[in-house]
Amino acid sequence: MEDKLVIAGNHIRSRFFLGTGKFSSYKIMQEAILASGAHLVTVALRRVDAQSKSENILDYIPQGSIIMVNTSGARNADEAIRIARIGRTLGCGNWVKIEVIPDNKYLLPDNSQTIKATEALVKEGFIVMPYMSPDLADARRLQDAGAASIMPLGSPIGTNKGLKVLELLKILIEEIKLPVVIDAGIGRPSHCAEAMEIGADAVLVNTAVATARDSVVTARAFALAVEAGRLGYCAGLKPEQERAEASSPLTGFLR
Amino acid sequence: MPDFYDEILKYKGFDFSAHLAQVKSADLQEILNKEFLSILDFLSLLSPEAFLFLELLAQKANKLTLAHFGKTISLYIPLYLSNYCDNECAYCGFKHSNTIKRRKLTLEEVEQEAREISRTGIQHILILTGESKLESPLTYIQECLERIKKYFTSIAIEIYPLKEEEYRQLVSSGAEGLTIYQETYDEVLYDKLHLKGPKRNYAFRLGAPERAAQAGMRQVNVGALLGLGDFPRDAFFTALHAKWLQDSYPAVEVGISLPRIQPQAGGFDALRPWSDKEFVQLLIAMRLFLPRVGIAVSTRENNLLRKNIIGLGVTRISAGSRTEVGGYTLEQKTSGQFETADKSSVEEIKRMICEKGYQPVAKDWQRL
C-alpha cells in the first residue's frame, strides 16, 4: 500500500514540516525549504508584513507550499482565534497551527485554551493543527473538537533536546486516530528518525534548522532522516529488546 | 509599597563587593554547567574573576540567544512627543530647570512624524514624553496613540508612571508595551538625584511595571540608568526585578534595557561610568540568568559596540533615532534628551545586522 500522509483530505508530500522563524534571511529560509522538499511550512502571523515596502516573508515561500499560519504570541484562546482570522483576511489560507503560550519562560503551551481555540476555529472552517503538551485526555478532547492533527512537543521549544517525553508520545501515537506531528525540541536528524520510527506521522522543525551554521544542508539532513525513519517504521522495524532472550524459561515446557 | 519592594528589602545590608571578591574559578565552572542560575550566580558573573571566563560565558550566551531568538534582531524607533517636564533629575537633559527650548507636538505633528518614521518600514515604535501631567496629560497620550496606530503594528510607551487604571486606558488605546527605568534601585541615591517633582516618589515608579502587567500590557521593559548607582548593585536589582516580573506575570514578555548614561544638556557626569568591558560582561550575565528575556540596546551605544554585541544576548536595537521633539520632520526641533552615539540610518543599521549574519526584523507583532 502506498505510504501517503493525508491531513484534512490533503496529500502532504513530505513528512518533514518546516517552521520559518529565526532564519538569518528570507533567502536562506527559502533555500532550506527547497532543499528539504518540505511541502507544509508554518509562518508566524506576527512576522507577516503585508504592507512591507521591502521584504514580505510570504514572497519567499516556494509556490505550491501549504502555508500554515501559526498563532505565535497568543496568550489565550481568544487571541489565537483573532490571529487565525487576521491570517485568513491577509490571504494566508485556512491552515492554522494553534499555539497558545501564557508562559514566556519555558514557552510551554496551555492545553485547555488550545482546546477552546480549536473548537471555535474548526467551526469557522479552519484546518486546525494544535501544538500541545503530550497529554492523552487533552489529545482526545482535541480530536473530539475536530482538530486535523495533533502536534505534541518532543521537548520545550528551542531546546534541541529531542524526544524527552518519548513514552507519552508513544501512547498518543497508539491512541489518537489523527495524524500525530511531533513539534518542538527536535534538534538533530537522529531525533527525526526516532520520531518516525515510533510511528509519528510527521515532524515539525524550526530552531535547529534556522540556527544551524548551514541551514540549507541541515534542512536536507533532517528531511532525509525523516524519510529513513519512516521507511524503517513501514518496513516493520523490530522494537528494541530490554535484554537478550535466547530461550523461553517459563513456557518452554509447552514445546 | 509595591510588591517588588519586599524583594529589594531581602538584600538590605547585603555586601555586594564582598560577594564579588570571593568568587573563585571553581564557582564559575559550576555556573557555566548550570541550566538554571540563581540571582547570586548572576552576581558572581559580574565579578573580576568572571571576566577571565568571558569568552566561555559569551559562547554560552550566544547559544542561548540563538536557541530562543534565532538569527534575528528586532528593530524599533523612538518618537519624542514632548519635553516639558516637572522633574529635576540631576542627570537628565529635559530637567525642569534646564533652559532648553520646550515643545509639545500637536496631534497633526505627531501624525506627521509617525508617517515619516513608518516610511522606514519599522513597525515597532516607542513613544516618549517628559513628565508633565499638565502639558502631556493622559488624554494627550491617548489621542497620540489613536492617531499613530494605523502606522504601526506595535506601540510601546516610555512615559511617567501611571496608575493601573490609567495603563488600562492606554492599552485600550493601542499601547502594547511599557518601558520604564527605575534609574537607580538605590533608594538613598534615588532621593539625592531626583530633587523635585513627582518623580521623587521612588515607590510609585518601582511599582509601575507590575501595575502595567496587571493592566494587560503585553511587554514590560525595565532597567537602570547605568552610571548612576554602584556597580554592580543596580545590575543586580534590574536582574532581580526582571526575574520577579517574569515569575509573577508569566504571560507578560519581560524585557531589559541596558542604558548607559551619555552626555546631555545640563552636563552631568556619570557618578560611576561603566566601561565597555563591564557593559559586555553585564549583557552576557543577563542572558545567562534570564535566557528568554528580550534585551534592548539603544543608540546611546556606538555603532561598533552594537555590532560587536549582536549574538551575545541583545535582541532589540533602535535605529535612526532622534531624541529631539520633532526630530524627524520639523524644522524647529528642540535639543535632544541625550546625545545619540550611533547616528546610522535605518538602512545602515539593517545592513550592519545582515553583515553579522542576522536578519533585521521590522515587524514582530500584529495588533489584534
Side-chain angles (χ1 to χ4, degrees), chain A residues 22 46 48 73 104-105 212, chain B residues 67 71 247 250 292 363-364:
Chain A
K22 297 182 177 174
R46 64 194 291 171
V48 175
N104 276 294
K105 235 200 267 183
Chain B
K71 293 180 181 173
D247 291 345
R292 288 191 195 269
K363 175 177 180 285
D364 191 27

Side-chain angles (χ1 to χ4, degrees), chain A residues 178-189:
Chain A
L178 301 170
V180 175
V181 181
I182 299 182
D183 177 4
I186 291 181
R188 318 180 71 81

Side-chain angles (χ1 to χ4, degrees), chain B residues 33 36 53 100 102 214 222 253-254 330:
Chain B
N33 291 325
F36 301 102
F53 284 74
I100 53 167
R102 302 279 168 178
Q214 279 158 4
V222 295
E253 275 179 35
V254 177
L330 301 184

Side-chain angles (χ1 to χ4, degrees), chain B residues 18 20 39 55 94 96 99 104 109 111 125 131 165 168 294 313 316 351 357 366:
Chain B
L20 293 188
I39 187 70
E55 181 58 32
F94 286 173
H96 185 76
T99 49
K104 177 179 108 173
E109 287 167 340
E111 185 161 352
I125 193 165
E131 179 155 10
E165 181 45 39
R168 213 174 283 283
R316 289 191 296 133
R351 243 191 330 273
Q366 175 72 45

Side-chain angles (χ1 to χ4, degrees), chain A residues 16-132:
Chain A
F16 175 74
F17 302 171
L18 188 59
T20 55
K22 297 182 177 174
F23 280 90
S24 61
S25 72
Y26 289 151
K27 188 89 193 70
I28 288 176
M29 173 202 83
Q30 183 184 51
E31 287 171 25
I33 297 172
L34 291 169
S36 67
H39 182 200
L40 191 154
V41 294
T42 61
V43 175
L45 184 79
R46 64 194 291 171
R47 286 283 166 85
V48 175
D49 192 353
Q51 278 121 47
S52 171
K53 286 138 200 132
S54 47
E55 288 202 307
N56 180 354
I57 188 169
L58 297 178
D59 296 339
Y60 288 82
I61 307 290
Q63 286 282 321
S65 303
I66 294 175
I67 294 175
M68 178 158 69
V69 163
N70 81 40
T71 63
S72 161
R75 298 169 294 181
N76 51 47
D78 179 54
E79 290 184 352
I81 293 165
R82 282 149 75 185
I83 293 172
R85 287 175 185 157
I86 295 171
R88 184 145 73 179
T89 320
L90 292 178
C92 297
N94 262 352
W95 294 73
V96 60
K97 169 184 166 181
I98 298 185
E99 200 179 299
V100 180
I101 298 182
D103 152 52
N104 276 294
K105 235 200 267 183
Y106 306 103
L107 298 187
L108 291 171
D110 179 332
N111 282 355
S112 70
Q113 290 290 306
T114 302
I115 294 162
K116 210 170 142 194
T118 300
E119 283 165 350
L121 290 171
V122 166
K123 280 184 195 142
E124 293 182 22
F126 284 93
I127 298 170
V128 180
M129 307 205 3
Y131 168 60
M132 67 174 310

